[in-house]
Amino acid sequence: MSQLKEAKSALISVFSKDGLEPIARKLNELGVTIYSTGGTEKFIKNLGIDVIPVEDVTSYPSILGGRVKTLHPKVFGGILNRQENEGDVKELEEYEIPQIDIVIVDLYPFEKTVASGASEQDIIEKIDIGGISLIRAAAKNFKDVTCVSSVDDYQEFLDLLNEKGGKTSLSDRKRFATKAFNISSHYDSAIFNYFNKDGEVNSFKQSELKGKELRYGENPHQKGTFFGDFDAIFDKLHGKELSYNNLLDVDAAVNLMNEFKGEAPTFAILKHNNACGLAQRDTIKQAYVDALAGDPVSAFGGILISNMEINAETAEEIHKLFCEVVIAPSYSEEALEILKGKKNRIILIQKGTELPKDQVRTCLNGVLVQEKDLKTDALEDLQQATSNKPSEEELSDMIFASKICKHTKSNTIVLAKNKQLCASGTGQTSRVDALKQSIEKARSFKFDLKGAVMASDAFFPFPDCVEIAGNEGITAVIQPGGSIKDQLSIDYCNENNIAMVMTGARHFKH
């Protein structure tokens, strides 16, 4: 174990005073000299604790409306000096610079100010200069200085003070320095991304302060970690810890159900990021029952999501199924008690938090960034391609099917009827294979495809798909269009009384 170093002085300058009192009192009890500034100085003084104003050290007042308080050689010299360097020690004595062993600083709440919708002037004023400089200086000199840079670390630091009586090891100080650079790099990334919101500088910076180690990654031999604020999106009410695969499925479920936000009761069941059941009905119970009917085999171990509160009678139906996760905006008390009947079942309340609009994934030795596919096909987007006009019911079903198609792995074909997913072909290397897969699946669960609609995520290069669909009794088709051979599919539909509309928007999902 490395030799312990005793702290004799501390500089405290924080924006938020939450949790500071017990630390200030402990430092005072240990005989540590405390230096401070402005509001923090006043806060500590009001606790009845002796504190030396930084102005007494620098002989300069806080100037420029508080923009410059600690940016002075007598402050930074006290932090950055190398205590084993004779030249540094002599200069401290020559210039009457006090040694500083602990720096406790937090930063102006830049991200919260941006999120609040504040004016640009207010946002700019929340770019911390002195604080970030103190953090970097103290963290750089971790050999001699302990840097506490976040309220989240106060308890750990207080425990350390109590455990070791104000002394720290080199590994303690290096650990806090690591935390400090995590804070400072995240802060700078947030500022850059604010200034670069129009993307004028072609650079990628993404930072997440919160990380949670998962049991494993996609497979047991892989390590996995989730970086993000899960609690900002969900309240977890019950169940085991979410796995890597659970999180991917939950993400897919939330993005899919966003398409049906504010609509009639809608229920979806997902497996491996794809919907295996989805229905929209007059009641949420019936929506669940009909979603399950879409593929009761794949639903085993699936992710369930509702666009409205789950009541007791729906919960009773759900409870008959083994499922990993249930997601809803709310639950009745009785429903919650029923669903908690399986101890490992994960129950989530989805909050109204807005999801990111960009999508990021690793690629080769870098990352790919794109805007999310936020285009939802609507009635006003549809161009009638055939002389056969679709009925109102077919139009409604085509929009319904298109929403599912957009969130299904390509190549995909989705078959739907009466606001119910009959089947989908997912992740196939050819569109014909996707269609054949969906037809075979629909047949296996006894769906009558006469009068059903077909949605495709991309255009038909040949008329084979509409021919196969027509032979199954499918009467309407929605697709992006754009093939140089579109007319071949249109001609077949016209000749066989099939309605076709084109959206002009492809929805590949890889």
Side-chain angles (χ1 to χ4, degrees):
M1 185 176 181
S2 61
Q3 186 175 0
L4 297 179
K5 181 180 183 299
E6 183 177 4
K8 297 179 180 178
S9 59
L11 170 63
I12 307 177
S13 180
V14 296
F15 181 83
S16 171
K17 315 302 183 292
D18 294 343
L20 183 61
E21 180 177 347
I23 290 176
R25 291 196 184 280
K26 186 63 183 180
L27 291 173
N28 183 57
E29 177 190 318
L30 293 168
V32 174
T33 301
I34 298 177
Y35 301 92
S36 192
T37 64
T40 309
E41 176 200 338
K42 183 178 179 181
F43 175 84
I44 296 171
K45 193 173 290 183
N46 287 341
L47 296 175
I49 297 172
D50 290 338
V51 58
I52 300 173
V54 166
E55 291 89 341
D56 289 0
V57 176
T58 64
S59 299
Y60 268 88
S62 173
I63 62 174
L64 306 181
R67 280 190 165 197
V68 180
K69 289 181 284 191
T70 57
L71 294 168
H72 194 282
K74 284 199 171 183
V75 175
F76 281 85
I79 297 169
L80 284 166
N81 72 90
R82 295 155 292 185
Q83 293 179 25
E84 294 180 356
N85 184 297
E86 290 184 10
D88 286 6
V89 173
K90 285 182 180 178
E91 287 186 340
L92 288 188
E93 294 173 355
E94 180 182 354
Y95 296 109
E96 298 180 335
I97 297 173
Q99 171 65 45
I100 296 173
D101 301 310
I102 298 169
V103 173
I104 302 175
V105 180
D106 68 355
L107 300 173
Y108 291 159
F110 178 81
E111 288 178 282
K112 286 183 179 178
T113 305
V114 172
S116 73
S119 68
E120 181 165 274
Q121 179 61 36
D122 288 340
I123 290 170
I124 298 303
E125 287 304 316
K126 288 298 184 290
I127 297 177
D128 207 313
I129 303 300
I132 201 82
S133 302
L134 290 169
I135 286 172
R136 290 179 65 84
K140 174 181 178 176
N141 201 27
F142 68 88
K143 188 174 181 182
D144 293 312
V145 181
T146 303
C147 180
V148 183
S149 55
S150 169
V151 173
D152 293 339
D153 297 326
Y154 281 5
Q155 188 59 53
E156 181 183 349
F157 180 62
L158 182 60
D159 291 343
L160 192 63
L161 291 176
N162 287 319
E163 179 188 339
K164 297 182 178 179
K167 297 177 181 179
T168 56
S169 66
L170 181 63
S171 62
D172 291 331
R173 296 190 295 278
K174 190 170 185 178
R175 184 174 71 255
F176 277 98
T178 303
K179 291 171 177 281
F181 284 121
N182 182 35
I183 292 290
S184 66
S185 62
H186 177 81
Y187 197 75
D188 285 339
S189 293
I191 294 169
F192 168 78
N193 287 330
Y194 170 75
F195 277 91
N196 196 46
K197 53 193 170 187
D198 294 329
E200 292 181 9
V201 178
N202 195 15
S203 178
F204 172 72
K205 288 180 175 60
Q206 181 171 329
S207 175
E208 292 289 349
L209 287 174
K210 295 187 177 182
K212 181 175 177 57
E213 187 174 336
L214 305 172
R215 295 197 305 274
Y216 51 80
E218 202 161 5
N219 299 293
H221 61 275
Q222 297 170 266
K223 291 182 179 180
T225 307
F226 173 71
F227 293 99
D229 190 357
F230 184 84
D231 294 337
I233 301 176
F234 298 104
D235 285 328
K236 182 170 178 284
L237 305 181
H238 183 74
K240 63 182 180 180
E241 291 297 314
L242 281 90
S243 69
Y244 182 97
N245 292 328
N246 287 156
L247 288 166
L248 286 176
D249 282 335
V250 166
D251 177 71
V254 167
N255 282 290
L256 172 60
M257 194 52 74
N258 276 348
E259 301 285 349
F260 301 95
K261 198 172 183 179
E263 294 189 12
T266 307
F267 211 106
I269 304 171
L270 290 89
K271 196 75 172 287
H272 295 293
N273 305 166
N274 295 304
C276 58
L278 199 152
Q280 190 171 83
R281 293 292 183 260
D282 292 332
T283 67
I284 199 63
K285 176 188 175 182
Q286 196 58 49
Y288 167 72
V289 169
D290 289 350
L292 180 63
D295 186 347
V297 175
S298 296
F300 183 85
I303 308 295
L304 280 56
I305 186 166
S306 168
N307 72 341
M308 62 177 296
E309 180 173 284
I310 291 179
N311 55 27
E313 61 177 358
T314 308
E316 286 174 352
E317 291 297 324
I318 292 171
H319 194 57
K320 299 172 185 176
L321 174 73
F322 168 71
C323 57
E324 290 274 328
V325 184
V326 183
I327 308 167
S330 61
Y331 303 83
S332 71
E333 288 186 19
E334 192 178 350
L336 201 52
E337 288 307 309
I338 294 168
L339 294 173
K340 285 181 177 179
K342 300 283 179 67
K343 70 175 183 178
N344 288 330
R345 179 184 285 145
I346 298 163
I347 304 173
L348 303 175
I349 287 182
Q350 185 182 347
K351 302 177 185 177
T353 308
E354 187 173 337
L355 296 173
K357 290 185 169 58
D358 288 336
Q359 195 170 43
V360 181
R361 65 195 299 179
T362 58
C363 181
L364 301 176
N365 61 346
V367 295
L368 283 171
V369 182
Q370 68 168 350
E371 297 175 341
K372 276 188 177 178
D373 183 0
L374 299 176
K375 169 68 177 171
T376 298
D377 296 329
L379 289 174
E380 55 267 25
D381 300 320
L382 307 184
Q383 297 293 320
Q384 186 177 323
T386 55
S387 55
N388 305 303
K389 185 178 180 180
S391 67
E392 293 296 320
E393 290 77 12
E394 288 171 334
L395 284 170
S396 182
D397 274 346
M398 283 192 286
I399 294 296
F400 175 85
S402 174
K403 290 177 179 180
I404 302 170
C405 194
K406 170 183 164 182
H407 293 275
T408 305
K409 189 172 179 65
S410 298
N411 286 313
T412 184
I413 291 289
V414 169
L415 306 179
K417 183 178 178 180
N418 299 328
K419 297 288 187 71
Q420 181 183 22
L421 172 62
C422 299
S424 59
T426 62
Q428 298 301 301
T429 52
S430 84
R431 201 154 302 285
V432 171
D433 285 346
L435 175 56
K436 288 179 178 178
Q437 182 191 51
S438 63
I439 290 170
E440 182 180 347
K441 194 170 184 180
R443 283 176 180 166
S444 71
F445 294 114
K446 311 301 181 187
F447 280 101
D448 180 3
L449 293 179
K450 290 178 182 176
V453 305
M454 174 172 73
S456 174
D457 58 342
F459 63 63
F460 299 115
F462 303 102
D464 44 8
C465 280
V466 290
E467 182 177 352
I468 295 168
N471 290 337
E472 295 297 323
I474 289 165
T475 56
V477 177
I478 182 169
Q479 59 129 329
S483 168
I484 57 173
K485 296 183 178 180
D486 274 345
Q487 196 58 48
L488 295 177
S489 294
I490 293 170
D491 289 344
Y492 183 88
C493 288
N494 280 330
E495 292 164 7
N496 291 274
N497 201 32
I498 300 171
M500 178 186 286
V501 297
M502 295 184 178
T503 65
R506 189 180 72 185
H507 293 294
F508 271 165
K509 182 172 183 272
H510 293 108

